[in-house]
Amino acid sequence: MSIWHGLIDSDYRRWLPVTRDTPAISLNEGNTPLLRSAHLSELTGCEVWLKVEGANPTGSFKDRGMTVAISRAAERGAESVICASTGNTSASAAAYAARAGMTAAVLVPKGGVAPVKLAQGVRYGARVVEIDGTFDDCLRVARELAGHHPVALVNSVGNELRLAGQRTVAYEIVDALGDAPDVHCLPVGNGGNITATWGGYRTYADAGLATRLPRMWGFQAAGSAPLVHGAPVADPQTAASAIRIGNPATWDGAIAAREESGGLIAAVTDEQIFAAYRMLARRDGVFAEPASAAGVAGLLDQHARGRLEPGLRIVITISGNGLKDLDASLHDGYTPAETSAAAADVARVLRLAA
């Protein structure tokens, strides 16, 4: 039995921008489950797979890029890192910084981040600063600070290290399936994930390790869909907080992924996102955070519109763990049944047959 040691110490190291001297600051990220969804396959007439990125150490796909960014920062002797975040990046940056013995500062929009994600950053020892503004304001400030102070910016914007790490999801998918899928669906917020995933497929195809390239289908929340409208959204609105971004930093990369792959970037409503969120848990046993269900919602929407031909092989990125947003899990309300400690009473409550 082989032991997985994380991306930098895996066979994927040759595809990463690391040197012989780069230390592996790792929490054994990557190697996440690829699950076939019998329910979604039946609904769509396609072969649908779920890439469960919430199984990464801090609960999201962000760990793939963060291991590379923090490892290279450690190689350069950095002592502090900073990032802007809607939650998942802050948790990942704080965890990997702690692993490397660095300090971390995370800037988040006030009231715009699920409390559990803030709790992660705090527990890892990060200095969390709530900004009276949007994610875009947080990123602007983080970039300014990194430009004038001895602190390394670890957001994916302009950060080839982060994007290179995130490309590994495509390598794992091709290696598991034997080739690239026909379509890859995923949520789109800041644009880095669709950019990196497409880049990963291209890297493998260029190396002769995949015989085809997928169409990239990205989905934004309807109230926060700048890439769909073609213009920034000043006041983005969605309950799926991880993709509540009005001016994606990796805008050009996301559009290039759509255009080069012959894909699409479309919007889905919060109602569709939460319906998919519930469906994933109840039918596939996958507890995703709401934003992570946008790819499922989008696939079902395209199918309902008659835009999905049957028989396709489809992979959907489930980008984050449902434990990231516990309030959302009680969105429908929850009232536990109560009874005595007698087995007969419990049986009656559960309506068990005699």
Side-chain angles (χ1 to χ4, degrees):
M1 175 180 174
S2 61
I3 298 176
W4 178 258
H5 292 289
L7 294 174
I8 292 179
D9 283 337
S10 73
D11 291 340
Y12 300 127
R13 184 184 179 101
R14 60 181 171 141
W15 305 111
L16 299 175
V18 296
T19 72
R20 187 178 303 173
D21 298 323
T22 304
I25 308 301
S26 175
L27 291 166
N28 288 13
E29 62 293 316
N31 196 31
T32 55
L34 183 65
L35 304 177
R36 184 179 183 277
S37 172
H39 182 61
L40 289 172
S41 296
E42 182 180 354
L43 281 179
T44 62
C46 294
E47 179 187 332
V48 182
W49 296 81
L50 308 174
K51 185 61 169 167
V52 187
E53 289 292 274
N56 276 300
T58 74
S60 85
F61 75 95
K62 303 288 188 177
D63 294 345
R64 291 182 180 274
M66 202 59 69
T67 183
V68 182
I70 298 294
S71 293
R72 287 300 302 272
E75 183 180 5
R76 297 192 304 270
E79 297 180 357
S80 301
V81 299
I82 191 170
C83 71
S85 179
T86 53
N88 285 328
T89 296
S90 65
S92 186
Y96 281 81
R99 186 77 168 170
M102 301 176 184
T103 61
V106 297
L107 311 183
V108 300
K110 185 176 181 179
V113 176
V116 171
K117 296 177 184 178
L118 290 178
Q120 279 187 282
V122 169
R123 186 50 48 213
Y124 294 134
R127 181 71 181 272
V128 178
V129 180
E130 289 189 311
I131 301 292
D132 187 11
T134 66
F135 166 82
D136 306 299
D137 295 316
C138 295
L139 182 57
R140 173 180 53 78
V141 172
R143 295 176 78 167
E144 289 178 9
L145 293 175
H148 295 90
H149 300 275
V151 57
L153 180 68
V154 291
N155 280 98
S156 58
V157 54
N159 192 328
E160 169 60 21
L161 304 177
R162 284 276 308 278
L163 295 177
Q166 288 172 206
R167 289 186 195 119
T168 59
V169 71
Y171 310 157
E172 290 182 11
I173 290 166
V174 173
D175 287 342
L177 297 179
D179 209 339
D182 298 300
V183 175
H184 188 119
C185 301
L186 71 173
V188 176
N190 212 27
N193 206 19
I194 189 172
T195 301
T197 304
W198 172 240
Y201 284 123
R202 290 193 60 175
T203 296
Y204 252 37
D206 290 345
L209 297 173
T211 66
R212 61 189 179 195
L213 291 167
R215 285 175 280 167
M216 300 299 297
W217 286 9
F219 298 98
Q220 298 194 289
S224 181
L227 296 173
V228 177
H229 302 307
V233 176
D235 184 24
Q237 296 294 324
T238 174
S241 61
I243 54 175
R244 189 190 297 140
I245 295 172
N247 190 13
T250 317
W251 184 300
D252 291 343
I255 296 301
R258 180 191 67 187
E259 297 301 310
E260 292 170 9
S261 72
L264 59 84
I265 297 178
V268 286
T269 66
D270 275 16
E271 289 75 17
Q272 289 174 302
I273 290 172
F274 275 88
Y277 164 79
R278 291 188 290 269
M279 178 188 294
L280 276 172
R282 294 175 182 175
R283 302 308 296 264
D284 283 298
V286 174
F287 187 22
E289 68 171 316
S292 295
V296 175
L299 176 66
L300 293 176
D301 184 63
Q302 292 299 306
H303 175 62
R305 294 172 186 269
R307 298 172 182 171
L308 182 68
E309 57 265 42
L312 298 178
R313 175 178 280 182
I314 299 169
V315 172
I316 308 174
T317 297
I318 309 300
S319 52
N321 194 294
L323 293 173
K324 294 279 192 172
D325 193 345
L326 293 177
D327 288 342
S329 73
L330 302 178
H331 184 77
D332 298 326
Y334 166 68
T335 303
E338 296 182 10
T339 186
S340 72
D345 289 341
V346 175
R348 278 193 293 273
V349 168
L350 295 177
R351 299 178 182 175
L352 299 178

